[in-house]
Amino acid sequence: MSLADATNGALEKCPTGIIGFDEITGGGLPKGRPTLVCGNAGCGKTLFGLEFLVRGVVSHGEPGVFMAFEETAEDLTKNVKSLGFDLEDLVEKEMLSVDHVHVERSEIEENGEYDLDGLFIRLGLAIDSVGAKRVVLDTLETLFSGLSNTAVLRSELRRLFRWLKDKGVTAVITAERGAGALTRHGLEEYVSDCVVVLDHRITDQVATRRIRVVKYRGSSHGTNEYPFLIDEGGFDVLPITSVGLDHPASEERISSGLDRLDTMLGGKGFYRGSSILVSGTAGTGKSSLSAAFVDAACRRGEKAVYFAFEESQNQILRNMKSIGIDLQPHLDKGLLQFRAARPTTQGLETHLAIMYKVIRETKPQVVVVDPITNFISVGTYEEIKSMLMRLVDFLKATQTTGFFTSLNHGNLVTEQTDIGISSLIDSWLLLKDQECNGERNRVLYLLKSRGMPHSNQVREFLITSSGIDLVDVYTGPEGVLTGSARLAQEAKERAAANIREQEIRRKQGELDRRRRSIEEKIAEMRSDFEEEASELELILAQARKQEKQRELDRSELAASRKADVHST
């Protein structure tokens, strides 16, 4: 059940337009109610509020008011210009009001009762001037910086939240985090209908931004911490923890880029939308297989994204071209996109958020992550496994075929990955070096491929200047041979086969000659026989003729003597 369904429409919500955030809240912030957004300095509170207002104007036609207590309107306008937010234009169109209220602790002297009536009047005029539906107050600490009476402060805080609620505007109020508490005064979170915490933590000198919805009255919501980005497009929240196991399973098959590897995979290649892992030690050809897979996808006219965490784009292009795989034309056509970065430049969650955003914007059919083991420098095995599980689930949900490479250290244990993600993988190819006769040769075999019959044969994996090829290793009386030993054995067997072929041809020629000799003799004898038979037939005919003449002469003699005629 989705978060949006979980709310059952019981509480009307105001979409923020912030990518991913409306998904984890099931539709946005509570409409007509105040929301507290708290966090440490630099975590993005002000930007969250500004994007909430700008998206409201641009996407939903809802005017807004931004009341700042720290930054001036000019500073705010300049600061968000790089994000594509044109505040001046919105102000000129009377869809946005940006007001700066100067509050300086050193200029304030408490004298008599302190209340926010003046602020309410000023804010009310701003709301009425543009017909605002959305309001942002940034930040509470500055607003109350001149007030030391805690009882009055708590009273005014309650009055401020109640006043905003009575006005019927959807409000975002930013606040600084306190020591051991969500806010400095420890009260704001209790009077707010919704509390959102932004976090910008540093772990091992690597920064990661996370967002969490701590409280949401009247609605269910995602309760996990979600990574988010602040880039040229503004806020971008990664809403998934894991999308579960209800993704579709395609019957379509796609080529690996190598005909003989496709043959090993039942003759048709990998399933579309599946997860593929190529693991092996250094130099066994993992990136080369990745490039061949990407090349095949782009030749089919599909989009591909290559996340490289070890080599730069230009280095990959040069190296792959040297083995006959030219990826540059795919880049020129816009079918291939590289994203190369050192893992240490971001935290794991930020890497995941960036990949999620790129995939969502590019909509590729194929994604390569090369190699996943480099993330070890910024996370533990369990953290990497968790991150990859979310990535694999996301790729499967979008039917994007994921191709991952993993570096194994050492040859002793190769049928497991260093970060233990084999259970997430549908097809697993293992590359290894085989040392024999003073040389090392690459071999490849399929460890598993779910949902299809596949070869269990070991293939020698060749990388040449004309491309990648798989050949059969030699298996015979001499044992299993690869490389030059295989070539020598094959040459030896070819020579023996040639000798056998020559002997067969010699014996066949001798047989043919004898057959022709006998047939010639038979023909000669038949000719002699025919000649003798013809002469004998002639003699016989003459003898019969003479005998018949004698009979005729005897009859005539008998008739001349008047003898009785005897019938014969």
Side-chain angles (χ1 to χ4, degrees):
M1 184 174 63
S2 70
L3 291 172
D5 293 334
T7 63
N8 296 319
L11 179 69
E12 192 174 1
K13 297 191 175 182
C14 177
T16 63
I18 295 174
I19 298 172
F21 181 78
D22 292 344
E23 188 174 336
I24 65 175
T25 53
L29 300 177
K31 190 166 187 177
R33 300 185 181 188
T35 293
L36 179 69
V37 177
C38 55
N40 294 323
C43 63
K45 300 183 297 296
T46 302
L47 180 60
F48 183 97
L50 270 173
E51 185 161 351
F52 165 67
L53 290 182
V54 172
R55 303 288 182 201
V57 173
V58 175
S59 304
H60 303 283
E62 294 185 353
V65 170
F66 191 96
M67 183 162 282
F69 304 109
E70 286 184 336
E71 298 178 86
T72 65
E74 292 74 18
D75 289 340
L76 284 170
T77 301
K78 290 178 182 176
N79 293 344
V80 300
K81 198 90 173 180
S82 61
L83 304 178
F85 299 159
D86 191 348
L87 300 187
E88 291 177 331
D89 180 60
L90 298 180
V91 171
E92 189 175 336
K93 293 177 180 175
E94 297 185 348
M95 294 295 288
L96 181 67
S97 171
V98 181
D99 190 11
H100 173 238
V101 177
H102 178 71
V103 180
E104 179 57 49
R105 176 73 179 89
S106 60
E107 300 174 359
I108 297 175
E109 182 178 349
E110 290 184 52
N111 186 12
E113 294 186 357
Y114 180 94
D115 60 43
L116 297 178
D117 286 344
L119 174 71
F120 294 158
I121 294 172
R122 186 164 177 170
L123 185 56
L125 288 173
I127 292 173
D128 294 339
S129 66
V130 296
K133 303 293 183 186
R134 304 181 181 210
V135 169
V136 173
L137 301 181
D138 182 48
T139 65
L140 279 183
E141 280 66 31
T142 307
L143 175 62
F144 289 106
S145 62
L147 191 60
S148 58
N149 189 319
T150 307
V152 174
L153 185 148
R154 288 175 174 270
S155 170
E156 290 304 299
L157 272 175
R158 290 180 187 277
R159 209 155 70 92
L160 172 62
F161 279 79
R162 193 181 310 117
W163 184 87
L164 289 168
K165 206 167 184 177
D166 292 341
K167 291 292 288 185
V169 295
T170 306
V172 169
I173 301 157
T174 66
E176 297 287 337
R177 291 199 67 168
L182 291 179
T183 59
R184 290 188 179 179
H185 306 297
L187 175 66
E188 300 92 319
E189 58 265 41
Y190 297 103
V191 296
S192 301
D193 289 285
C194 179
V195 177
V196 178
V197 175
L198 304 182
D199 185 31
H200 191 194
R201 69 187 65 169
I202 307 293
T203 306
D204 294 332
Q205 302 179 343
V206 176
T208 303
R209 297 178 190 271
R210 301 190 186 193
I211 189 171
R212 181 186 172 209
V213 180
V214 177
K215 169 184 174 183
Y216 202 133
R217 285 175 179 156
S219 173
S220 61
H221 57 87
T223 56
N224 296 319
E225 283 191 328
Y226 303 92
F228 70 94
L229 301 173
I230 298 177
D231 57 15
E232 66 280 358
F235 252 72
D236 195 328
V237 179
L238 179 63
I240 60 169
T241 297
S242 179
V243 295
L245 293 175
D246 57 350
H247 49 74
S250 174
E251 295 287 343
E252 184 182 354
R253 305 280 281 271
I254 57 174
S255 173
S256 65
L258 302 176
D259 292 339
R260 294 210 67 181
L261 182 54
D262 291 344
T263 303
M264 294 176 69
L265 293 160
K268 300 176 181 177
F270 302 110
Y271 280 116
R272 184 177 292 284
S274 63
S275 53
I276 303 154
L277 175 68
V278 178
S279 65
T281 52
T284 48
K286 299 179 294 298
S287 297
S288 301
L289 274 181
S290 304
F293 184 65
V294 164
D295 183 50
C298 292
R299 288 179 186 276
R300 294 192 298 269
E302 298 176 358
K303 289 185 177 179
V305 175
Y306 197 119
F307 293 103
F309 297 104
E310 197 167 59
E311 299 175 278
S312 69
Q313 171 183 316
N314 291 333
Q315 192 175 355
I316 294 173
L317 290 174
R318 181 202 65 189
N319 295 347
M320 294 305 110
K321 193 172 183 178
S322 70
I323 60 170
I325 302 175
D326 190 0
L327 299 177
Q328 185 64 50
H330 306 318
L331 272 173
D332 297 339
K333 292 178 182 176
L335 292 174
L336 175 60
Q337 185 177 135
F338 277 94
R339 292 287 176 146
R342 289 288 183 195
T344 49
T345 57
Q346 315 278 356
L348 275 180
E349 299 288 358
T350 307
H351 278 297
L352 181 61
I354 291 172
M355 287 192 279
Y356 179 89
K357 181 178 182 181
V358 171
I359 294 168
R360 189 183 57 223
E361 292 177 349
T362 310
K363 295 182 173 56
Q365 283 77 39
V366 167
V367 166
V368 170
V369 182
D370 177 34
I372 55 176
T373 33
N374 272 23
F375 288 120
I376 290 175
S377 57
V378 289
T380 64
Y381 292 146
E382 286 303 319
E383 288 172 339
I384 297 171
K385 184 176 180 180
S386 172
M387 169 233 184
L388 291 175
M389 181 174 65
R390 285 184 281 176
L391 178 59
V392 168
D393 284 347
F394 173 64
L395 292 176
K396 288 192 172 187
T398 56
Q399 285 296 281
T400 306
T401 307
F403 197 98
F404 306 90
T405 67
S406 174
L407 174 65
N408 286 345
H409 295 88
N411 274 322
L412 293 178
V413 182
T414 55
E415 293 189 1
Q416 70 179 49
T417 60
D418 283 356
I419 54 178
I421 63 159
S422 56
S423 60
L424 304 176
I425 298 301
D426 297 313
S427 297
W428 186 359
L429 285 74
L430 203 151
L431 301 175
K432 60 184 291 189
D433 282 326
Q434 185 164 294
E435 191 169 330
C436 181
N437 296 326
E439 62 183 35
R440 293 168 69 91
N441 296 291
R442 303 178 183 90
V443 295
L444 173 152
Y445 60 94
L446 271 166
L447 209 56
K448 73 172 183 179
S449 193
R450 290 170 175 159
M452 67 178 77
H454 59 83
S455 172
N456 62 352
Q457 297 294 304
V458 177
R459 296 282 189 275
E460 188 172 350
F461 180 62
L462 300 179
I463 300 177
T464 67
S465 58
S466 57
I468 302 173
D469 195 12
L470 298 180
V471 296
D472 294 330
V473 297
Y474 174 82
T475 54
E478 303 297 329
V480 178
L481 302 176
T482 59
S484 58
R486 173 183 55 77
L487 294 174
Q489 182 62 29
E490 289 176 349
K492 183 178 176 182
E493 291 193 352
R494 281 197 299 273
N498 287 335
I499 293 173
R500 289 195 299 273
E501 181 64 24
Q502 290 174 2
E503 181 65 15
I504 290 172
R505 284 200 295 268
R506 187 188 66 77
K507 289 183 177 179
Q508 183 66 47
E510 182 179 346
L511 178 62
D512 292 342
R513 284 192 300 274
R514 293 187 64 181
R515 180 181 289 109
R516 285 195 299 272
S517 175
I518 291 173
E519 288 175 350
E520 288 172 358
K521 288 180 179 177
I522 292 174
E524 185 179 357
M525 291 174 66
R526 185 181 297 280
S527 175
D528 293 344
F529 171 76
E530 294 291 339
E531 186 177 353
E532 290 179 7
S534 176
E535 290 177 356
L536 289 174
E537 287 291 338
L538 182 60
I539 293 172
L540 286 174
Q542 289 176 350
R544 290 190 190 96
K545 187 176 179 181
Q546 290 173 356
E547 184 62 26
K548 190 174 181 180
Q549 186 63 44
R550 281 196 295 272
E551 288 292 333
L552 183 59
D553 292 345
R554 190 181 297 119
S555 298
E556 290 178 350
L557 181 60
S560 65
R561 291 179 179 178
K562 307 299 183 183
D564 296 335
V565 177
H566 301 284
S567 62
T568 61

